[in-house]
């Protein structure tokens, strides 16, 4: 992983930075497996979006934990580096998932509420979130940079299309910022507290759990997230994907860098066999074989292929397009 | 369960009511176990809060499914009603949880986002939520009735204390309503669509996934929720509890009524042995025994009891208060 | 699904058959979705292996439950059959898994212990198993038919190779049967009970939980298994696979028939996009494209392909073999 | 925890002992939290039963991880030791379970198959077990010591009663040993392999997955087990309980010692508020209060108490017995 971008001064308070520096300064001796690439990153805030971050706060295991688990071994469980790497790739290619569950990581994340709502749909993880019933939320909202403000996609009903004209984007950004600011001001007014004291002693403060209900889903919250390596990879395969919303994808991309620093052999196998893999539906190989055997023009319907499924296949192997009979061309339009 | 309150006219559109009526009118023959109390409720919206609801959309099993599973039986698995009821109570008292997993229910719920954020922390359930990336959210916000607007509790850092003065409560309600209305107006302006057409053809509409980030957590969303009976009872034991936020508790109370209609024997055992049960910590029975044996004044410290733990015990059995030696009284203040 | 094979007379006792017949005879009216293909099968024992079976004892939902959940609908949620089917295929192809969790099934299974040990590794399911601490196990062991007795595979370290010579196979079968019989006789001797009475009043019977520890893993046990449709398909994708042990595969094949009777559209999408799908690793499409573009001889290493990964690709598309340069042939041997 | 008993010479091979010694000798520097009590135990085999063991092979977090998670903190998250301990006790008493999920442990266990069948019913854990399809099982069987051989309990249908007469116990032990030995000899004969070579070159060896089906459930297997602290405590609350079978309880007791060495504050809170806690059903406190108020004779039925539930209450607080009216005495017999 490249060095994470420097932490903007505004991301953390001085007290928070001091706490992190203290934690990084401490060191102890352990008999456990350590991952040097992750030790270097430990506790540091990796910036994501305008005010979010990901921090690794603990981890268990390394590439070798996967090998050791697959072999149910008494010692380190490793043999030659080459054969360990080969075993990891074999396990990944054949979706032998349980050894990948034997490594674990714990992150501290600051993210907007609408991002956490997508994040927490992944159920196989442990979560402790900052409580807005118990504590006052900070004045931190996600405001997209103007170049991220895009129109609704025409082709993909749940995504973004073209970027908007700069002056229109600026207006949207301003509107989002104003709404958030006004709601937060009203939140503070309702709470009526300043450092433990009532701001206006003439009235009671509203309970926190109630005053927060007008805060926008763009407000930042924070949480501890602990997950095993396999379920982390599952999360990344869905959230580092082009179909994911750009904002959660920014977090997933940052975490992909963490995975690379932590378990490089697993990271590479995951990239080759999951992230960049292509799944062909049942009839597709037969069509490919016929094309390679020189039979043409090919009739996709004779292979049980058509519609969106055929279009996706031709996107993967564009050389097929010219060999398919004209009658199927509407499917490819 | 008493009849659910009549559905306010504004809760559902005419089209939705017609869909529900159609679903209720259909009927089929089945060899499966049926729960008559739940068939009567099926598909109907049970109103919760100002614009929320819970609807049972499907279920599997009844009281007898628990008995049948515990006995791994070939047929209905039941014997005398009395002995079935006794078995259910025994299983509940001793936390033999797996037979309770053998019944299942599916609900359709409309609830504010801040409620769903508490709800979805329960991980052993299946969820399909309305997508604000794909669709436009409705103009429905939770606005608490003035009598629910309460001050922050002094004794309980995460709860509500006394109700606020009426004019102050009214001002809070108005503030929440205004913030929500303004944010929603701006959301619509950004979307720039009305029934599929651009409202203002001179500019592009912002992508839905982005335009929604200024919407407050008080906005209503809806989801399908499918859960087994045991995990439903777990949810209820935490969310129908006085420590839960009033708004999610309103949903839990409505669902308790559903459970009573569905599996009455399980409901009663759950009430006696979980909801209304009391847990005594290790040393407490010895103190109770000493009190019944007439030894006094009692020294709680000699039993390893003190602080908040002692106070909770005396709240459960107030007759102990007068028998505890004066030295321990600060703990009870 | 074809009609299940007739139940052998010895599979169930008369009392069990009567219980099943009673359950099948009962019928009730329901507002819930029903799956006619599954109603026809309900409660019947589908024979598997020599003395095992699978019985559907309850279910929730049908093909339409998937559609209804994906649309978070108020009514049946369906439109034209054609568009529902298309939505199911889209969801399956893109692994939108949550709507498939909204249907549920409950099975009663009798299977050998070594099969259940593989079965119960699937954690997202509810299980109630017959207790060998509480009850006496039946005298039923799995004994493979002679034609299933195979040698250890030379190429696949965890599978079977060629069938053995008939007289050797017969000897193995006899050995397995004798071991099981002797162990079971000794189990009964230790229990020293016959229909509740001590067989030999001169000595105490050993506790059931202890007497059973010499019983072989080939003995049959039985259990209730409740699982959602998505996790059932996951189970089938691993256990109806050629790499699974033949004995659990026999159960998976029987359950595939149940899925086809229950949710035919989901079954077909699963067959096309999961069971019969092929996954190409990251570099494979580039090699295929080069082959279709007529570039040859191809150097797999230049595409980052080699070893077992290359061999698996050539097994899928044998037409590639002749176009790959000779230097890579050791990988294909 | 007291020092674990010395490892019997026969428990591990020399090669295994050397692997463990190597792993213990390695040491690295880490920024992560370390638990000194657990570092001391790391990798060592703690003997359980005759040939089983538990080895801690990795861990993440300590008492403080619970505190840090509950506070979603930037640094170590701790304050005074006293207040941290108080927070842990509060969280345990009120079943705020999520912070306890933030610590994790990984064990290597050797246990009989019948024990693993109870163990793996706990679904929230990661497991990698030695494969009897891929490898040859070792000649290691659980044989209970004669003093553990007990008769079936008369009062508890799933437990052991009185110990058996020595000569009867000895006969049972011999029978179990003989059955296991004979089955294992036949297993080896069927495998027909000795250190990779066919023993008898005149016949094929049976596939491992098939040859093992006559092995008894008392044979030892081994597995890696990774679990979070909360789910580990759940496991212990059920398996270190007097109702659990003695053999799995021996493993649970060993693991309780590990928990004490790892997270002493959590261990103590768990002992006080879970292991040694008593749950009173809904009506019980009212009866206790009436007894303390001196009202007698008490009529349990008037409080809604009777049967087994009443008997369990009187077992907890025997002083109640003399104050209950004679009419209720059959329930107490």
């Amino acid at each position: 992983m490249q060095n994470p971008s420097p932490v903007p001064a505004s991301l953390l308070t001085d007290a928070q930075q001091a706490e992190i520096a203290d934690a990084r300064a401490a060191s102890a001796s352990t008999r456990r497996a350590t991952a040097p690439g992750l030790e270097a990153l430990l506790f540091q805030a990796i910036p994501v979006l305008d005010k979010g971050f990901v921090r690794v706060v603990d981890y268990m295991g390394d590439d070798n934990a996967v090998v050791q688990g697959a072999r149910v071994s008494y010692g380190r469980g490793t043999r030659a580096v080459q054969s360990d790497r080969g075993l990891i790739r074999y396990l990944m290619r054949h979706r032998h998932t349980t050894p990948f569950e034997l490594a674990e990581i714990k992150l501290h994340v600051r993210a907007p509420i609408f991002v956490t709502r997508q994040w927490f749909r992944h159920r196989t993880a442990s979560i402790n979130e900052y409580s807005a019933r118990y504590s006052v939320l900070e004045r931190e909202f996600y405001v997209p940079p103007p170049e991220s403000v895009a129109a609704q996609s025409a082709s993909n009903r749940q995504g973004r299309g073209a970027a908007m004209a700069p002056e229109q984007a600026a207006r949207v950004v301003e509107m989002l910022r104003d709404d958030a600011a006004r709601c937060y001001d009203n939140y503070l007014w309702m709470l009526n507290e300043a450092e433990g004291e009532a701001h206006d002693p003439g009235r009671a403060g509203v309970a926190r759990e109630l005053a927060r209900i007008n805060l926008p889903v763009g407000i930042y919250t924070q949480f501890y997230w602990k997950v095993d390596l396999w379920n982390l990879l599952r999360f990344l395969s869905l959230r580092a994907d082009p179909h994911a919303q750009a904002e959660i994808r920014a977090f997933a991309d940052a975490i992909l860098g963490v995975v690379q620093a932590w378990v490089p052999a697993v990271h590479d196998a995951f990239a080759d066999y999951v992230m960049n893999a292509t799944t062909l539906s049942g009839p597709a190989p037969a069509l490919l074989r016929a094309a390679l055997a020189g039979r043409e023009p090919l009739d996709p319907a004779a292979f049980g292929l058509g519609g969106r499924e055929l279009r996706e296949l031709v996107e993967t192997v564009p050389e097929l397009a010219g060999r398919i009979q004209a009658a199927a061309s509407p499917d490819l339009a």
Side-chain angles (χ1 to χ4, degrees), chain A residues 78-96:
Chain A
T78 48
R79 298 177 190 169
V81 168
Q82 197 47 40
S83 104
D84 285 358
R85 197 177 164 83
L87 177 56
I88 286 172
R89 295 180 75 79
Y90 174 85
L91 295 169
M92 184 71 74
R93 203 160 62 241
H94 292 278
R95 303 289 188 272
H96 288 275

Side-chain angles (χ1 to χ4, degrees), chain A residues 311-324:
Chain A
R311 197 158 60 243
E312 289 169 5
L313 175 61
V314 174
E315 280 164 19
T316 304
V317 188
E319 283 70 17
L320 287 174
R323 306 179 186 220
I324 287 177

Side-chain angles (χ1 to χ4, degrees), chain A residues 38 68 115 121 158 177 191 200 232 272:
Chain A
L38 209 49
Q68 192 186 28
V115 167
R121 295 301 310 279
Q158 64 170 14
R177 186 179 285 126
L191 290 181
D200 171 356
L232 179 62
D272 285 347

Side-chain angles (χ1 to χ4, degrees), chain A residues 260-329:
Chain A
Q260 192 172 25
W262 176 28
V263 282
V266 171
H267 174 272
D268 293 354
F270 174 65
D272 285 347
Y273 300 132
V274 179
M275 285 303 280
N276 302 322
T278 305
T279 299
L280 303 180
S281 62
L287 186 87
L288 279 168
R289 295 183 58 184
L292 280 166
R295 284 163 42 200
E296 56 184 84
L298 296 162
D299 174 12
F303 293 86
L305 284 164
R308 190 152 26 174
E309 185 181 344
L310 176 61
R311 197 158 60 243
E312 289 169 5
L313 175 61
V314 174
E315 280 164 19
T316 304
V317 188
E319 283 70 17
L320 287 174
R323 306 179 186 220
I324 287 177
Q325 60 179 214
S329 53

